[in-house]
Protein backbone atom coordinates (compact mmCIF):
# COMPACT_ATOMS: atom_id res chain seq x y z
CA UNK A 1 0.00 0.00 0.00
CA UNK A 2 2.90 2.30 0.73
CA UNK A 3 4.44 1.52 -2.65
CA UNK A 4 1.16 2.51 -4.33
CA UNK A 5 1.01 5.77 -2.39
CA UNK A 6 -2.35 4.98 -0.79
CA UNK A 7 -1.53 6.83 2.43
CA UNK A 8 -0.63 10.08 0.68
CA UNK A 9 -2.93 10.21 -2.35
CA UNK A 10 -6.40 11.67 -1.79
CA UNK A 11 -7.68 10.05 -5.00
CA UNK A 12 -7.86 6.71 -3.19
CA UNK A 13 -11.24 6.23 -1.49
CA UNK A 14 -10.13 3.60 1.01
CA UNK A 15 -11.45 3.94 4.53
CA UNK A 16 -8.73 1.79 6.11
CA UNK A 17 -6.51 -1.18 5.45
CA UNK A 18 -5.03 -3.87 7.63
CA UNK A 19 -1.57 -5.29 7.29
CA UNK A 20 -0.01 -8.35 8.89
CA UNK A 21 0.15 -6.65 12.30
CA UNK A 22 -3.67 -6.88 12.56
CA UNK A 23 -3.73 -10.65 12.07
CA UNK A 24 -4.72 -13.21 14.68
CA UNK A 25 -3.76 -16.88 14.89
CA UNK A 26 -6.43 -19.57 14.59
CA UNK A 27 -6.19 -23.33 14.46
CA UNK A 28 -7.93 -25.10 11.59
CA UNK A 29 -8.30 -28.80 10.84
CA UNK A 30 -7.07 -28.33 7.30
CA UNK A 31 -4.10 -25.96 7.75
CA UNK A 32 -3.23 -26.18 11.45
CA UNK A 33 -2.23 -22.87 13.03
CA UNK A 34 -2.57 -19.97 10.58
CA UNK A 35 -2.73 -16.20 10.80
CA UNK A 36 -5.91 -14.59 9.47
CA UNK A 37 -7.42 -11.14 9.15
CA UNK A 38 -10.61 -11.02 11.25
CA UNK A 39 -13.17 -8.69 9.70
CA UNK A 40 -15.33 -9.16 12.78
CA UNK A 41 -13.03 -6.79 14.64
CA UNK A 42 -13.79 -4.04 12.13
CA UNK A 43 -17.50 -4.84 12.13
CA UNK A 44 -17.52 -4.69 15.92
CA UNK A 45 -15.92 -1.24 16.01
CA UNK A 46 -17.69 0.31 13.03
CA UNK A 47 -21.38 -0.66 13.03
CA UNK A 48 -21.93 0.81 9.56
CA UNK A 49 -19.79 -1.99 8.08
CA UNK A 50 -20.74 -5.64 7.81
CA UNK A 51 -20.46 -8.67 5.55
CA UNK A 52 -22.86 -6.90 3.21
CA UNK A 53 -20.54 -4.00 2.37
CA UNK A 54 -17.00 -5.22 3.02
CA UNK A 55 -14.49 -6.82 0.67
CA UNK A 56 -10.99 -7.82 1.74
CA UNK A 57 -8.29 -7.98 -0.94
CA UNK A 58 -5.26 -10.12 -0.38
CA UNK A 59 -2.86 -12.27 -2.36
CA UNK A 60 -3.10 -15.08 0.21
CA UNK A 61 -6.43 -16.93 0.31
CA UNK A 62 -5.82 -18.32 3.82
CA UNK A 63 -6.16 -14.79 5.19
CA UNK A 64 -9.89 -15.05 4.41
CA UNK A 65 -10.54 -18.19 6.48
CA UNK A 66 -12.69 -16.38 9.04
CA UNK A 67 -14.67 -14.50 6.37
CA UNK A 68 -14.35 -16.45 3.11
CA UNK A 69 -17.35 -14.80 1.43
CA UNK A 70 -15.74 -11.38 1.87
CA UNK A 71 -12.34 -12.33 0.52
CA UNK A 72 -11.16 -11.44 -2.95
CA UNK A 73 -7.82 -12.90 -3.95
CA UNK A 74 -5.60 -10.78 -6.14
CA UNK A 75 -2.27 -11.66 -7.69
CA UNK A 76 0.77 -10.55 -5.76
CA UNK A 77 2.63 -7.53 -7.10
CA UNK A 78 6.12 -8.91 -7.42
CA UNK A 79 9.31 -7.44 -8.78
CA UNK A 80 7.80 -3.98 -9.17
CA UNK A 81 10.85 -2.65 -10.96
CA UNK A 82 10.32 -5.22 -13.76
CA UNK A 83 6.52 -5.48 -13.86
CA UNK A 84 5.31 -1.96 -13.15
CA UNK A 85 4.29 -1.31 -16.77
CA UNK A 86 2.70 -4.70 -17.45
CA UNK A 87 0.87 -5.49 -14.19
CA UNK A 88 -2.87 -4.99 -14.77
CA UNK A 89 -4.31 -6.56 -11.62
CA UNK A 90 -5.37 -3.30 -9.94
CA UNK A 91 -6.79 -2.00 -13.21
CA UNK A 92 -9.06 -5.05 -13.49
CA UNK A 93 -9.90 -4.88 -9.79
CA UNK A 94 -11.02 -1.27 -10.21
CA UNK A 95 -13.30 -2.31 -13.08
CA UNK A 96 -14.81 -5.07 -10.93
CA UNK A 97 -15.38 -2.74 -7.99
CA UNK A 98 -17.01 -0.15 -10.20
CA UNK A 99 -19.31 -2.78 -11.65
CA UNK A 100 -20.46 -4.11 -8.28
CA UNK A 101 -20.70 -0.68 -6.65
CA UNK A 102 -24.37 -0.48 -7.62
CA UNK A 103 -25.19 -3.43 -5.34
CA UNK A 104 -26.58 -2.91 -1.83
CA UNK A 105 -25.28 -6.26 -0.61
CA UNK A 106 -22.02 -7.94 -1.62
CA UNK A 107 -22.59 -11.04 0.51
CA UNK A 108 -24.13 -13.08 -2.31
CA UNK A 109 -21.23 -12.45 -4.70
CA UNK A 110 -18.67 -15.12 -5.42
CA UNK A 111 -15.44 -13.12 -5.48
CA UNK A 112 -13.48 -16.25 -6.32
CA UNK A 113 -14.28 -15.67 -10.00
CA UNK A 114 -14.22 -11.88 -10.02
CA UNK A 115 -12.03 -11.71 -13.12
CA UNK A 116 -14.63 -13.59 -15.17
CA UNK A 117 -17.07 -10.80 -14.51
CA UNK A 118 -14.67 -8.30 -16.05
CA UNK A 119 -14.41 -10.46 -19.15
CA UNK A 120 -18.18 -10.36 -19.63
CA UNK A 121 -19.61 -13.09 -17.39
CA UNK A 122 -22.58 -12.15 -15.23
CA UNK A 123 -22.76 -11.88 -11.45
Amino acid sequence: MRELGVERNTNYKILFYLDSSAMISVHTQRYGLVDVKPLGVIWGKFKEYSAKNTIMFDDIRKNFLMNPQNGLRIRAFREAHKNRDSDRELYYLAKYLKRISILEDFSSLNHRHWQRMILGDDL
Side-chain angles (χ1 to χ4, degrees):
M1 298 303 271
R2 231 178 254 116
E3 191 173 336
L4 294 171
V6 171
E7 295 173 338
R8 299 174 308 279
N9 190 326
T10 58
N11 291 319
Y12 288 103
K13 306 299 182 211
I14 297 174
L15 182 62
F16 52 85
Y17 58 90
L18 301 174
D19 62 12
S20 60
S21 67
M23 298 176 86
I24 63 169
S25 297
V26 296
H27 186 273
T28 67
Q29 292 244 349
R30 184 174 184 181
Y31 300 109
L33 189 64
V34 294
D35 291 332
V36 298
K37 295 180 180 175
L39 292 175
V41 171
I42 296 166
W43 299 333
K45 288 183 177 244
F46 303 96
K47 299 299 181 196
E48 64 268 35
Y49 299 102
S50 70
K52 292 182 176 187
N53 61 8
T54 306
I55 300 174
M56 178 182 2
F57 314 116
D58 206 306
D59 61 333
I60 302 171
R61 192 175 308 281
K62 286 183 204 175
N63 290 344
F64 310 139
L65 283 176
M66 291 185 72
N67 310 98
Q69 191 62 30
N70 299 92
L72 187 152
R73 187 177 172 279
I74 58 174
R75 290 188 192 108
F77 185 54
R78 301 196 192 285
E79 298 182 356
H81 62 287
K82 292 182 185 176
N83 299 318
R84 185 175 313 278
D85 295 329
S86 62
D87 188 288
R88 307 292 289 159
E89 192 75 355
L90 294 180
Y91 170 77
Y92 294 127
L93 179 60
K95 288 182 75 161
Y96 176 73
L97 294 175
K98 188 170 184 172
R99 186 159 178 198
I100 67 170
S101 69
I102 61 170
L103 301 176
E104 292 288 323
D105 184 350
F106 300 149
S107 63
S108 64
L109 293 176
N110 182 355
H111 300 302
R112 185 177 282 260
H113 304 291
W114 69 273
Q115 291 162 323
R116 289 182 190 171
M117 191 172 162
I118 298 307
L119 299 174
D121 289 349
D122 292 326
L123 286 171

